[in-house]
Amino acid sequence: MVVPQPIQNQLKKEAFYGCVICGCPVLEFIDFTLTGIQVDKPPPRQEVFLPENMVAICPSHNQKLQAGKIDTTFLRLSKNNPFSKIHDDLAFKTTSSKELTVSLGGCTFINTSRLLVVDDFDLINVRRLDQRFLILDVNFFDRSNKLAAILFENGWSSERSRIGDWTIEYLRPKRLLLQNSRENMNLEARIENDTELRIVGDGLYYNNQKIKITPHEVFLGDREIGIDTKGSVLTNYDVGIRAESLIF
Ligand SMILES: [Zn+2]
């Protein structure tokens, strides 16, 4: 089922942009009147979406819910008192009022949303919404150039048949970890000192070239990219690191 974008936005906002149970900023949108023990059956086809019966939760808690390990009464309570509202200090947001600082591959970008762009295709974007919550877009391509998963404005969609390959954790304090065991893919987005977002990752691909992001370098295939901006602090740039997958 595809939940219409305006309803997704409403559910994200009321959840303070995190899973209502754990604060994880990777979200799925579910109708808790339709859930239960139905692991082996496909979810019922849904055509009407009532936000009052729906909630934003992370994929891990969604799996627990589908396995019958989470009570819908508890879910309803959490909807009304989401984690990121109660635990303001653990919500995926920064405290600095004006600027968004991101550290990526040895470079610091301030107020730059498009962080990593290859062949004019945006692979990693980040921006801030009201109350300084961080909103991520990440396209996870695998080695055969297929989209394994998409994180779009914190909404998660992955290939349904392979959902078990992903482990998505929100660790304290403010450390988001996404791992795909089958593809050896991982991405970490961590807010440090409540002010700076640091991103590292490995095993993501674009156009069959592996992307590796360490605290000091970004590699596309065996080439280091973003060398010209390395070690600098760049403010209000259109694109952080831009590269081409083919060199002529
Ligand atoms: Zn959760």
Side-chain angles (χ1 to χ4, degrees), residues 226-237:
I227 298 170
D228 47 337
T229 51
K230 210 167 152 174
S232 41
V233 178
L234 304 171
T235 305
N236 296 325
Y237 263 49

Side-chain angles (χ1 to χ4, degrees), residues 212-238:
K212 182 178 172 132
I213 305 166
T214 77
H216 308 290
E217 296 126 341
V218 181
F219 289 96
L220 178 62
D222 49 13
R223 273 184 300 140
E224 188 179 351
I225 57 173
I227 298 170
D228 47 337
T229 51
K230 210 167 152 174
S232 41
V233 178
L234 304 171
T235 305
N236 296 325
Y237 263 49
D238 173 36

Side-chain angles (χ1 to χ4, degrees), residues 2 6 18 20 24 42 66 77 87 98 154 157 159 193 212 236-237:
V2 178
V20 294
C24 176
Q66 303 303 333
L77 281 171
H87 302 282
K98 290 197 188 80
N154 291 8
S157 45
E159 214 185 315
N193 307 317
K212 182 178 172 132
N236 296 325
Y237 263 49

